[in-house]
Amino acid sequence: MSAQGGFEGSYLGANDKISDLAIMECKICWTPYDPAEGDDTRQVLPGTPFLALPDDWKCPNCDAPKEQFLVSEDPGSDAMLAAARLSRKTEALVTDFTEVWHAKMRDVPMVNKVLHVQAVGFLEHEGRPLGVLISPWFMNLIQMPAEGEDWSTLKAGEKEVLSFPSGDYEFIHNTREQTGGYKACSLFSPMGEFKTQAQAVDVASAVMVALFQDEHRAETDRSADIRAAREDEIAAIEAREQEKAEAEARALEPDSAPTRRQILTAGMSEKPESAPETKDEAE
């Protein structure tokens, strides 16, 4: 065993870099241990990670101890690295806004004091951390820069539309000392309608699921439909007002001036008021 308490030849002895999916290989006889298969000779069930094997487990072929195994391949290592990156980013985000809460927002009337700052559902989308940040005064969808990206030059208040499977969303740029540059899309503000933190977390989790579902695109595009309907309504009102104005203008014209309808119907569209109905017409 290495001085660090890990496995020789694994990841410089760092156990925390070996995922549950890691396929290990005996460096004495090259016999692999695949967690998906387990080890029938030692009654180790399929699905048992290498790190969960008993301390006295040995190579089923040559009896070499666990310390003599190294990583052959690790399908879960990328996921572990991504999780570590997300953890660093979200921890900084939560710490930053928790400080804002304690320093500036705690006594503001609009805040919901049953809530606290929490990052929910963060994942890497196209290499960038994306998730929902809950606070006592807002719930925002947050996008942060990818590893190696510099967003420190973002101008606070500048707007940008980002597209997701469920639709297009308007994000506002911002920067903070701890968090650095980030983009935020407002979901709720203020937060008075939430009765518990758990309720807010449920909503935030649902947002992260719906964000990537095509069937919600129509809902996010409703604003365009509402604008179009409103424009049609305004046009109809203007048309009615125009017709009314034209009718009032015609009423002020001399009786000798025929209306457009009278011209088109050879003056027979209306009967003179003084002409009495005949018996045939009445019937």
Side-chain angles (χ1 to χ4, degrees):
M1 187 176 288
S2 72
Q4 295 181 8
F7 303 97
E8 296 178 7
S10 56
Y11 282 97
L12 301 179
N15 292 1
D16 60 354
K17 294 187 182 296
I18 302 172
S19 83
D20 288 350
L21 301 178
I23 298 174
M24 307 295 288
E25 192 172 62
C26 176
K27 72 177 186 178
I28 305 300
C29 68
W30 310 113
T31 296
Y33 174 78
D34 186 344
E37 298 178 2
D39 179 9
D40 287 339
T41 65
R42 304 296 171 92
Q43 296 182 333
V44 175
L45 295 175
T48 304
F50 186 80
L51 294 179
L53 293 172
D55 291 338
D56 61 355
W57 182 88
K58 295 181 180 181
C59 174
N61 186 53
C62 71
D63 278 345
K66 288 174 66 177
E67 292 80 1
Q68 295 300 315
F69 277 70
L70 51 78
V71 176
S72 173
E73 59 179 291
D74 190 355
S77 61
D78 289 343
M80 291 183 70
L81 292 173
R85 287 194 299 268
L86 280 173
S87 179
R88 290 195 303 271
K89 295 271 191 178
T90 55
E91 283 176 9
L93 185 68
V94 169
T95 299
D96 201 349
F97 280 90
T98 298
E99 290 182 2
V100 173
W101 164 238
H102 290 300
K104 299 179 180 179
M105 298 299 297
R106 182 175 288 275
D107 296 324
V108 174
M110 66 178 284
V111 301
N112 185 344
K113 293 188 177 182
V114 305
L115 304 178
H116 60 264
V117 178
Q118 183 176 349
V120 178
F122 270 80
L123 48 79
E124 283 197 352
H125 175 61
E126 297 179 348
R128 298 185 178 97
L130 176 76
V132 176
L133 183 66
I134 297 171
S135 84
W137 65 100
F138 69 77
M139 184 189 294
N140 286 351
L141 185 61
I142 301 288
Q143 186 186 62
M144 305 174 78
E147 201 75 8
E149 264 189 319
D150 181 12
W151 283 5
S152 61
T153 58
L154 291 182
K155 294 182 179 178
E158 214 168 71
K159 297 179 180 179
E160 178 182 359
V161 174
L162 301 180
S163 296
F164 296 92
S166 60
D168 299 330
Y169 299 81
E170 185 178 80
F171 283 70
I172 297 177
H173 294 183
N174 208 343
T175 57
R176 292 194 55 80
E177 186 174 349
Q178 289 189 56
T179 304
Y182 67 95
K183 302 171 185 179
C185 174
S186 178
L187 300 174
F188 296 93
S189 181
M191 297 287 284
E193 64 187 89
F194 294 98
K195 305 304 181 186
T196 64
Q197 183 77 13
Q199 185 186 38
V201 169
D202 286 345
V203 171
S205 300
V207 166
M208 288 304 296
V209 172
L211 188 64
F212 296 98
Q213 294 177 331
D214 292 341
E215 59 264 33
H216 293 287
R217 174 169 287 274
E219 294 181 12
T220 60
D221 290 343
R222 282 182 304 170
S223 57
D225 295 335
I226 292 170
R227 281 196 300 272
R230 180 59 178 158
E231 288 171 0
D232 290 343
E233 182 182 344
I234 291 172
I237 292 173
E238 290 176 347
R240 288 197 298 271
E241 290 178 347
Q242 179 66 23
E243 290 177 0
K244 182 179 178 182
E246 290 177 356
E248 290 174 348
R250 288 196 300 269
L252 295 175
E253 292 176 353
D255 292 342
S256 58
T259 65
R260 177 180 176 80
R261 185 180 178 189
Q262 286 172 332
I263 293 171
L264 293 175
T265 59
M268 298 178 64
S269 64
E270 296 178 0
K271 300 182 182 66
E273 292 183 2
S274 58
E277 290 183 338
T278 66
K279 180 179 179 183
D280 292 338
E281 289 174 335
E283 294 175 348

